[in-house]
Amino acid sequence: MKFVLRACVYIALQCSGEWRVSFLKCSDVDDYQLVAIMINQILPPSNMLWNILVFCIILQLIFHVNDGAHEEIFSNAVWNEATIFDFIEDDIFFEVIYPEKLSYTYRLRQAKNFGIPFNHVFKGIRLVLADPLECCSLPYNAPELQGAVALVSRGDCSFVSKAVKAEEAGALAVIVMDSNPENDELYIEMVDDNTNRKPKIPAAFLLGKSGYMIAKTLMEAHEAAAIINIPVNLTSVPFHKLNQPPWIIW
């Protein structure tokens, strides 16, 4: 569009005998001259300025339509063809099966240098809130955490401490949600605390907004646990088909 407008200015100035084209980039002048030659060949010499004006209007309409179509095609191609791992490479995901109110796919960031990876897929496993939620000591509800994934909150102790206590309670993995319930975008890198403790369960970080919504929903419904699949394979899932929580924008 800008090219067409500049070319029209150049041609109009040339035809009116005014060669004030210093505002044009030197590298672009040849292109504008080429357009001028092309128009001179196509349009009759009589009433040249009027013909140029009409021709430029037509060109602008063509460029506008084509640019819009190109943008739409490109955006649709990106939206339809791109998958999760075109945007997110190293994070993992879990999905809530029950309760239905929480049935979305959630993104997690694995602990950076402690715990073990989520190499095993846990299907239909319970997600249980630790009590107390910070999980800095052995939870009071340790029996409920046995064989489950513990959902704990950030704060009061290190991430390693939370993983250690969740493991002592019998949890098979631990998810640490941010203590800020408004956090819907910032993922924290969970690192070792240099205490030489080596938890042997997977650990991952969950956004505070998602953690808050999960905890709030379970407590209000008096549900002992959510049922989840973790991790889930989203390698081939198109980005627009993500079943993400409505309160999160990835």
Side-chain angles (χ1 to χ4, degrees), residues 74-96:
F74 177 76
S75 61
N76 286 341
V78 171
W79 190 248
N80 292 330
E81 300 298 332
T83 62
I84 279 295
F85 286 90
D86 291 316
F87 299 89
I88 302 167
E89 295 183 358
D90 299 325
D91 293 344
I92 64 168
F93 302 85
F94 75 94
E95 60 184 2
V96 174

Side-chain angles (χ1 to χ4, degrees), residues 10 13 21 23 35 47 55 72 75-77 81 93 98 103-104 107 117 127 148 165 171 187 199 205 210 227 229:
Y10 177 87
L13 289 173
V21 292
F23 67 93
V35 174
N47 202 8
F55 187 71
E72 182 179 357
S75 61
N76 286 341
E81 300 298 332
F93 302 85
Y98 177 87
S103 295
Y104 302 108
R107 176 183 171 189
L127 178 68
K165 293 305 177 183
Y187 284 84
F205 182 86
S210 291
I227 305 300
N229 294 328

Side-chain angles (χ1 to χ4, degrees), residues 197-243:
R197 291 176 296 172
K198 306 294 181 183
K200 294 181 177 58
I201 61 172
F205 182 86
L206 175 67
L207 291 176
K209 185 71 171 181
S210 291
Y212 169 77
M213 294 300 293
I214 292 173
K216 178 174 178 288
T217 301
L218 290 179
M219 288 187 289
E220 288 181 349
H222 303 288
E223 293 283 358
I227 305 300
I228 68 172
N229 294 328
I230 184 173
V232 292
N233 183 5
L234 300 181
T235 303
S236 60
V237 176
F239 198 80
H240 71 285
K241 290 187 177 181
L242 290 178
N243 184 28

